[in-house]
Amino acid sequence: MKQSRIMSMVEAATNVVVGYVLAIATQIVVFPWFGIETGLAEHLTIGLAFVGVSLVRSFALRRLFEAIRIRGTQ
């Protein structure tokens, strides 16, 4: 079954949102271990800096693997 571009984007966005929440939680726990003290606003900003890159990466990889799958069935 072929995955549409819209569903690829929905999957990638969901992956990024879940990853973002986990990243923020991880930063809050791990940063102090390395002597990095920041507030919640900084954690959220640092996380947002990576959201766009992560979304593009996830979408591009999904489309690449979909193209490979389609090419293999021809």
Side-chain angles (χ1 to χ4, degrees), residues 46-60:
I46 291 166
L48 282 175
F50 294 99
V51 166
V53 173
S54 184
L55 181 59
V56 170
R57 182 204 67 222
S58 294
F59 180 73

Side-chain angles (χ1 to χ4, degrees), residues 19-33 43:
Y20 178 68
V21 171
L22 288 173
I24 298 304
T26 302
Q27 285 172 203
I28 290 170
V29 171
V30 173
F31 276 22
W33 296 348
H43 284 297

Side-chain angles (χ1 to χ4, degrees), residues 33-44:
W33 296 348
F34 292 92
I36 303 169
E37 297 297 331
T38 61
L40 181 59
E42 287 83 10
H43 284 297
L44 296 174

Side-chain angles (χ1 to χ4, degrees), residues 1-33:
M1 177 166 63
K2 182 179 177 185
Q3 185 178 47
S4 71
R5 286 183 176 7
I6 291 174
M7 286 309 296
S8 291
M9 182 54 80
V10 169
E11 179 181 335
T14 301
N15 186 23
V16 168
V17 169
V18 170
Y20 178 68
V21 171
L22 288 173
I24 298 304
T26 302
Q27 285 172 203
I28 290 170
V29 171
V30 173
F31 276 22
W33 296 348

